Amino acid sequence: MQYSTLCEVYEELEKNPSRLKKTEILSNFLKKLKHEKNKEIIYLLQGKAFPDYSEKEFGISDKLCIKALEKASGISGKEIVNKWRKIGDLGKVSFEIMSKKEQNTLFSHKLTVDKVLDNLKKLPELTGIGTVDRKLGLISELLTSATAIEAKYIIRTLLSDLRIGAASGTIRDAIVSSCFGVLKEDESNKEEIKQAKEAVESSYDKTNDYSMVFEKACLGIKYLHDTKLSPGKPIKVMLALKAESLADGFERAGKTAVFEFKYDGFRMLITKEDSGKTKIFTRRLDEVTRQFPEVVDYVKDNVKAKSFIIDSEAVGYDPKTKKYQPFQAISQRIKRKYDIDRMVKELPVEVIVFDIIYLDGESLINEPFEKRSKILRKIIKEKPFHIKVAEQLITDSVEKAKEFYEKAMKEGEEGLMIKNLNSIYKPGARVGYMLKYKPQINEFDLVITGAEYGTGKRGGILSSYTLSCYDEKKEKFVEVGKASTGLKEKEDEGLSFQEISDRLNPYIIEEKGREVKVKPKIVVTVIYQNIQVSPTYESGFALRFPRIDRLRLDKPLKDIATLDDIKRDYKKFELH
Ligand code: AMP
């Protein structure tokens, strides 16, 4: 296929903002693509050269694109930069300068999609001395044989900024319509479309590769259903819905249900291929194997299977005290590229496995959860602070579930997961098969003891508030944080900055610059995300992300949170 054919599609997509129209344009193009051998062209529609599961990046800067354009057009880099400043989009700049060139030259050879894909695919593989020059060579080679429109899209693709608005959902719909002949939904074909969409979606969730999905869709819906998992490639993990109560959990997951501790770490999908190669992925499909060498060892030593895909939560702990750490503490390990051995020592993780979706060449995705869970327990040799399976209770009694929940909370866990005994594993879906139940949001009733005048539209209004709790030992109010969110700008929209400001005004006891101290009179309910130790405030603690939720005119000062309440909650967070 000529690259120009694809560029025409890009142009049409860019011009048409309507999703339905975009689906139609894409669908017509995919009908042509059906007859092409190379289905990877679909990656180019996504603005890439690799499937979604791949983390490969072109690694091309604006500067390098400008250099390549300079080489291909003969126009100076300075002039290109000037144009870029005016136009803003290097793709459009490429179009302009290559149009000029087009008028002066006769094109001898045409650019094919295969050639573009070929060169793009080589880019991430280049490393070592001379990388930049070799990259420049590959790009210039494309640009010299490109027309103006082609140059526009080559540059945009290289910069991962295609600007054609073809998101994943549109591509899915286009596959459905091109392969199963349906575009517009009406009463007669509703069910058929639903099934085709589900088949495409579920095949994609298992592979994260639209080229592969399209190939299967071309063969028929049966082939989509037959999509195999393959360890070594990440799949989208199954997501949870929220249960309002334990009884609600039973109602939605079924009675008898499986209850498990909800651990507060981060999701880790661990895969092992027949070759023994282990890979670790996050919930966002990023590979983090290098960052967690200890996990590779744990599964090698403690999971008895040749190949597998297991789903787990990794929780960080303090190696000295063995106390579990809050998620924020270990989140830094996910992005870490250097000093990894030190991180393993300072912030090791324990892996808590709760599901298995593939074992020794067989997919377990359609097996009931109860069976998967049993298999898991058979193949994992637990070792504290290395690897274990999620603590579990299978029951039909709300009372027993409640006791289990209390146990989870006492042990500092985040809450419970509630799972359907017979459910399959549905990648990527938020289905009623798996629910989460957490204690209600964290809130304290606190008193405002200080405030600060705002600026701009909040000029003259006290719009940032110092919050205090009561220290029973010192018999005084002590500060625990500052909040300036949760309130409305306009009074008719709800509790506003103006209202709080007006209520505080009579109680101002001291003014210093924009800051004031106020008598402790106004009580508010504050929602917060976490508590930290803090030298800034007299209480010794700081609420993280506090947000004012309600004005508590009903609440007497004696009933506000005490320092002991804050300490107790801090301990709860600390245990996580
Ligand atoms: P949330 O992130 O609040 O939507 O809660 C769901 C998350 O809880 C999952 O994505 C997992 O990362 C985590 N989790 C912790 N323990 C479990 C468990 N036993 N089963 C399933 N997910 C768990």
Side-chain angles (χ1 to χ4, degrees):
M1 183 187 279
Q2 299 301 323
Y3 187 57
S4 58
T5 312
L6 181 63
C7 290
E8 279 163 29
V9 178
Y10 287 148
E11 286 283 281
E12 266 192 88
L13 288 167
E14 191 180 10
K15 268 187 232 135
N16 287 288
S18 137
R19 162 117 193 237
L20 198 64
K21 187 71 195 163
K22 279 188 198 291
T23 313
E24 191 187 319
I25 298 165
L26 277 171
S27 167
N28 289 338
F29 175 72
L30 292 183
K31 278 182 198 155
K32 279 187 214 153
L33 193 56
K34 272 186 185 176
H35 310 293
E36 291 280 329
K37 215 172 133 232
N38 187 0
K39 304 279 190 288
E40 290 191 344
I41 294 171
I42 218 164
Y43 303 148
L44 288 175
L45 282 176
Q46 298 182 277
K48 315 170 169 213
F50 305 99
D52 288 339
Y53 68 77
S54 166
E55 281 193 279
K56 288 186 185 161
E57 282 175 7
F58 301 136
I60 301 295
S61 63
D62 296 330
K63 220 169 109 194
L64 198 65
C65 283
I66 293 169
K67 255 196 181 161
L69 282 168
E70 191 176 8
K71 220 172 153 186
S73 68
I75 293 175
S76 80
K78 213 168 163 198
E79 198 178 322
I80 300 175
V81 170
N82 277 341
K83 278 190 192 300
W84 182 31
R85 285 218 179 96
K86 263 188 239 144
I87 302 176
D89 166 8
L90 212 45
K92 279 194 182 147
V93 173
S94 321
F95 176 77
E96 244 188 45
I97 60 174
M98 297 302 273
S99 302
K100 277 195 199 141
K101 189 193 159 204
E102 228 173 69
Q103 289 159 8
N104 306 331
T105 22
L106 266 179
F107 276 95
S108 50
H109 45 280
K110 290 212 163 144
L111 202 51
T112 64
V113 172
D114 287 347
K115 176 68 189 162
V116 175
L117 260 176
D118 248 22
N119 279 24
L120 290 178
K121 279 185 170 176
K122 282 179 193 153
L123 290 170
E125 310 302 334
L126 298 176
T127 49
I129 301 168
T131 300
V132 175
D133 280 344
R134 280 188 287 161
K135 283 190 174 177
L136 190 61
L138 287 169
I139 304 171
S140 308
E141 190 192 2
L142 292 180
L143 289 177
T144 19
S145 21
T147 62
I149 295 270
E150 288 172 338
K152 171 178 167 184
Y153 288 103
I154 289 169
I155 292 293
R156 282 190 176 176
T157 304
L158 286 167
L159 295 174
S160 303
D161 188 17
L162 203 52
R163 303 187 185 202
I164 57 166
S168 186
T170 320
I171 292 182
R172 177 202 61 195
D173 290 356
I175 293 179
V176 171
S177 106
S178 60
C179 294
F180 304 105
V182 279
L183 182 63
K184 238 183 173 159
E185 198 172 305
D186 60 37
E187 276 315 308
S188 68
N189 64 14
K190 217 170 160 179
E191 195 45 38
E192 194 188 339
I193 294 186
K194 194 172 151 232
Q195 278 179 15
K197 265 191 193 169
E198 274 174 10
V200 171
E201 206 158 68
S202 116
S203 174
Y204 174 75
D205 286 339
K206 286 183 206 163
T207 56
N208 292 292
D209 181 346
Y210 268 127
S211 157
M212 196 185 265
V213 172
F214 182 56
E215 229 163 74
K216 289 182 189 298
C218 290
L219 296 170
I221 202 157
K222 180 178 158 293
Y223 291 84
L224 284 173
H225 290 311
D226 277 352
T227 306
K228 296 267 182 301
L229 291 174
S230 77
K233 283 188 196 160
I235 61 160
K236 289 204 175 159
V237 294
M238 179 157 72
L239 300 174
L241 290 170
K242 197 171 147 203
E244 294 307 327
S245 62
L246 293 173
D248 177 43
F250 270 124
E251 212 160 274
R252 291 158 65 195
K255 208 163 195 171
T256 309
V258 184
F259 292 81
E260 279 177 3
F261 281 7
K262 183 179 193 308
Y263 302 91
D264 183 20
F266 70 98
R267 192 96 173 237
M268 224 181 217
L269 192 79
I270 310 172
T271 78
K272 188 173 148 198
E273 295 158 66
D274 279 334
S275 66
K277 195 170 169 61
T278 301
K279 285 188 191 164
I280 307 169
F281 300 96
T282 67
R283 170 178 176 157
R284 294 179 41 211
L285 315 183
D286 295 329
E287 192 183 338
V288 290
T289 317
R290 236 168 54 78
Q291 286 90 315
F292 293 93
E294 79 269 45
V295 174
V296 174
D297 289 341
Y298 299 162
V299 297
K300 200 168 111 210
D301 296 343
N302 301 293
V303 185
K304 285 175 280 165
K306 199 162 172 347
S307 60
F308 59 76
I309 303 177
I310 54 180
D311 199 355
S312 69
E313 189 83 351
V315 187
Y317 64 91
D318 182 322
K320 284 193 204 99
T321 61
K322 292 280 194 284
K323 260 191 188 167
Y324 288 112
Q325 298 290 303
F327 168 70
Q328 290 97 303
I330 45 155
S331 62
Q332 49 175 310
R333 283 201 58 186
I334 303 172
K335 292 223 162 77
R336 197 76 177 200
K337 296 257 153 68
Y338 53 93
D339 260 1
I340 288 173
D341 291 343
R342 184 166 62 82
M343 294 303 279
V344 174
K345 282 196 193 102
E346 284 175 13
L347 280 170
V349 295
E350 176 177 49
V351 179
I352 301 149
V353 187
F354 53 77
D355 217 327
I356 177 160
I357 24 206
Y358 182 95
L359 176 67
D360 292 342
E362 299 291 330
S363 163
L364 300 176
I365 219 158
N366 290 320
E367 299 295 339
F369 176 65
E370 192 177 19
K371 183 169 170 192
R372 298 200 305 275
S373 195
K374 274 193 184 136
I375 293 176
L376 198 60
R377 280 157 175 77
K378 254 194 221 143
I379 64 163
I380 292 183
K381 194 170 82 202
E382 289 190 302
K383 184 166 181 204
F385 294 104
H386 283 195
I387 191 166
K388 63 182 191 191
V389 289
E391 179 134 358
Q392 197 179 67
L393 173 78
I394 300 178
T395 183
D396 60 359
S397 145
V398 179
E399 267 319 298
K400 290 247 165 65
K402 214 167 150 215
E403 277 168 27
F404 192 61
Y405 170 71
E406 271 150 21
K407 186 172 170 217
M409 297 318 288
K410 216 155 103 201
E411 293 188 18
E413 307 305 352
E414 215 187 355
L416 290 184
M417 299 300 295
I418 310 167
K419 302 179 182 182
N420 180 313
L421 271 172
N422 303 311
S423 66
I424 59 165
Y425 189 99
K426 224 167 178 317
R430 282 191 194 276
V431 280
Y433 306 157
M434 180 161 109
L435 303 146
K436 55 185 172 189
Y437 177 60
K438 288 196 264 192
Q440 277 316 302
I441 23 175
N442 311 306
E443 54 177 42
F444 281 132
D445 294 319
L446 299 166
V447 68
I448 299 176
T449 50
E452 196 179 326
Y453 286 106
T455 51
K457 61 185 170 196
R458 294 186 197 153
I461 302 173
L462 291 168
S463 55
S464 166
Y465 314 102
T466 306
L467 307 161
S468 294
C469 65
Y470 190 66
D471 185 340
E472 284 169 310
K473 270 200 205 104
K474 290 189 189 154
E475 294 186 343
K476 66 187 272 211
F477 294 99
V478 289
E479 296 174 5
V480 282
K482 276 199 174 101
S484 55
T485 54
L487 301 174
K488 306 282 184 234
E489 299 292 341
K490 293 196 187 123
E491 281 181 276
D492 56 1
E493 286 170 354
L495 182 62
S496 64
F497 289 105
Q498 186 71 57
E499 180 174 355
I500 300 269
S501 185
D502 290 348
R503 285 186 185 276
L504 290 174
N505 239 312
Y507 302 121
I508 295 178
I509 41 181
E510 205 182 290
E511 277 200 71
K512 202 166 147 205
R514 292 209 340 258
E515 286 178 8
V516 300
K517 274 193 180 155
V518 294
K519 262 195 208 157
K521 285 282 181 194
I522 305 298
V523 176
V524 284
T525 299
V526 175
I527 295 177
Y528 64 94
Q529 274 187 16
N530 205 337
I531 304 176
Q532 279 182 335
V533 172
S534 160
T536 319
Y537 299 114
E538 203 191 336
S539 65
F541 296 93
L543 300 186
R544 298 261 296 142
F545 308 114
R547 177 162 62 84
I548 295 182
D549 186 48
R550 268 162 298 157
L551 180 64
R552 297 304 299 267
L553 296 172
D554 57 319
K555 195 101 188 180
L557 264 184
K558 69 171 177 43
D559 286 353
I560 70 162
T562 63
L563 186 52
D564 280 341
D565 291 335
I566 309 266
K567 280 184 186 158
R568 197 174 315 122
D569 269 26
Y570 168 73
K571 284 219 178 80
K572 190 178 86 192
F573 281 110
E574 197 194 30
L575 276 173
H576 273 217

